[in-house]
Amino acid sequence: MHSPFDEEIEKYLVGVDGSGYGFSALRNVCSGHVANGDEIIAMYFPPNLELMMVQPSTVQPISKELYDAQHEHTVHIETKCKEIVQKYVAKDKDVSFTMHVGEHSFSPRDDLVAECYNTKADVLVVGAKGLTHSLKEKISDTLSGAGNVADW
């Protein structure tokens, strides 16, 4: 969190997965941690359906309905993230927001860490729990100096 006299601009990368925990992480950043000039990037990696459906003996074809449902879920996440930023970032703060949807992923942990380097993010924020099953613990095992924000 910045002091009003701090000139350094921070870039927050927030991992979202469509769970309440991911959205709560974004709300926490928007409601109290950003300062003028900061940048918030919400990042979502849709699961790789093909890899998830592979069984040792056969490969099951993925239905159009499943792809359509995944697309609808992605659109829902994008919409919800935009709503959270509009609602929780103070109107007097000049904060930029972008929503990134990455390639389909089988390992969002690794992809989020890579995205930190790609975007040159200063802070990575993820929910404590969610659809990615303890993503925070997996990432904190990968990065040194990982911290957390209480969610209550």
Side-chain angles (χ1 to χ4, degrees), residues 4 14 20 26 29 38 44 52-53 68 85 87-88 92-94 97 111-112 130 132-133 135 137 140 142 145 149:
V14 183
L26 181 60
V29 169
D38 283 355
Y44 172 60
M52 294 175 78
M53 299 299 283
D68 290 346
V85 171
K87 182 175 181 179
Y88 289 96
D92 63 338
K93 291 188 179 176
D94 179 26
F97 171 74
D111 294 333
L112 271 174
T132 54
H133 307 290
L135 183 61
E137 286 82 10
S140 63
T142 305
V149 175

Side-chain angles (χ1 to χ4, degrees), residues 2-4 7 10 25 31 40 46-47 49 51 55 60 69 72 74 83 103 113 116 126 128 133 137 149:
H2 298 283
S3 76
E7 295 294 325
E10 297 241 353
S31 64
I40 301 170
L49 297 175
L51 288 176
Q55 294 183 0
Q60 299 177 349
E72 286 178 29
T74 301
E83 290 171 359
E103 295 295 319
V113 170
C116 281
V126 295
H133 307 290
E137 286 82 10
V149 175

Side-chain angles (χ1 to χ4, degrees), residues 25-113:
L26 181 60
R27 271 193 302 277
N28 275 318
V29 169
C30 292
S31 64
H33 296 283
V34 293
N36 282 327
D38 283 355
E39 182 179 353
I40 301 170
I41 302 169
M43 187 76 216
Y44 172 60
F45 290 99
N48 188 321
L49 297 175
E50 288 85 2
L51 288 176
M52 294 175 78
M53 299 299 283
V54 172
Q55 294 183 0
S57 59
T58 62
V59 177
Q60 299 177 349
I62 306 298
S63 70
K64 182 181 179 328
E65 290 82 20
L66 193 53
Y67 279 116
D68 290 346
Q70 185 180 47
H71 176 73
E72 286 178 29
H73 183 67
T74 301
V75 170
H76 166 73
I77 290 171
E78 291 176 306
T79 302
K80 182 75 173 175
C81 287
K82 289 174 187 173
E83 290 171 359
I84 289 169
V85 171
Q86 289 175 349
K87 182 175 181 179
Y88 289 96
V89 171
K91 303 298 181 225
D92 63 338
K93 291 188 179 176
D94 179 26
V95 174
S96 80
F97 171 74
T98 53
M99 176 75 209
H100 292 184
V101 177
E103 295 295 319
H104 291 81
S105 176
F106 196 67
S107 179
R109 172 195 68 177
D110 296 332
D111 294 333
L112 271 174
V113 170

